[in-house]
Amino acid sequence: MTYTRRSVLLASAASLGVTGLASVAAARTSQLASGTSTLQTGTVAGIGEPVLVDGDGMTLYMFEADTQGSGESACTGGCTDAWPPLTVAGEASVSVASTVTASVATIERADGQTQVTAEGWPLYRFAGDEEPGDANGQGIDDAWWVLCRCGRPIRT
């Protein structure tokens, strides 16, 4: 039997259970909700160029169901358990490293949170990424993609 990244991720998610993914997502979301979020670049295996990461070095993703520049996020409800949005609290700002060339802004989510965007794409983390450099969410359902430093999705 050949194991693909998707089958390994699904098996991992099943072993964690929804509660496990939700607790990981909640922990990461609470870290971000403390104030200013940092957007910088990092490297991940299998991607030949720097990608957008948060202040902890965790890989950030865009979602194909989102419409670039619409100011809305399509990942709501249970979706955010596995894909917590990169958010800032209240009037907090986004600190952008000089290595990031994307236009960075924020949008207000339906739940009232303020989500960070790059080139109009709402940004998300993946609860299945455990440490900096992980990109376990890359290509899941042909819908979740990392972004280069300029904010372009890398669909490989």
Side-chain angles (χ1 to χ4, degrees):
M1 172 181 244
T2 302
Y3 292 97
T4 64
R5 179 176 60 208
R6 184 172 293 157
S7 65
V8 171
L9 285 172
L10 289 174
S12 298
S15 69
L16 279 175
V18 174
T19 304
L21 282 175
S23 62
V24 170
R28 291 191 178 146
T29 301
S30 67
Q31 290 172 357
L32 295 175
S34 63
T36 302
S37 288
T38 300
L39 190 62
Q40 57 191 16
T41 59
T43 58
V44 297
I47 305 292
E49 60 186 296
V51 300
L52 296 180
V53 299
D54 68 12
D56 295 325
M58 300 303 291
T59 305
L60 297 170
Y61 301 85
M62 58 76 66
F63 184 31
E64 288 286 357
D66 288 334
T67 300
Q68 185 179 18
S70 72
E72 297 180 4
S73 168
C75 181
T76 60
C79 175
T80 62
D81 292 340
W83 300 96
L86 180 65
T87 59
V88 292
E91 297 297 317
S93 64
V94 182
S95 174
V96 182
S98 62
T99 56
V100 174
T101 59
S103 173
V104 178
T106 59
I107 60 171
E108 184 174 342
R109 295 176 50 80
D111 61 9
Q113 293 184 40
T114 302
Q115 184 171 8
V116 180
T117 66
E119 290 300 316
W121 291 111
L123 299 176
Y124 307 87
R125 294 167 126 193
F126 177 52
D129 287 346
E130 296 180 3
E131 59 187 44
D134 285 352
N136 296 321
Q138 177 69 351
I140 288 184
D141 296 328
D142 291 324
W144 296 94
W145 307 102
V146 299
L147 299 101
C148 72
R149 71 175 76 211
C150 69
R152 173 185 45 81
I154 302 172
R155 295 177 174 98
T156 59

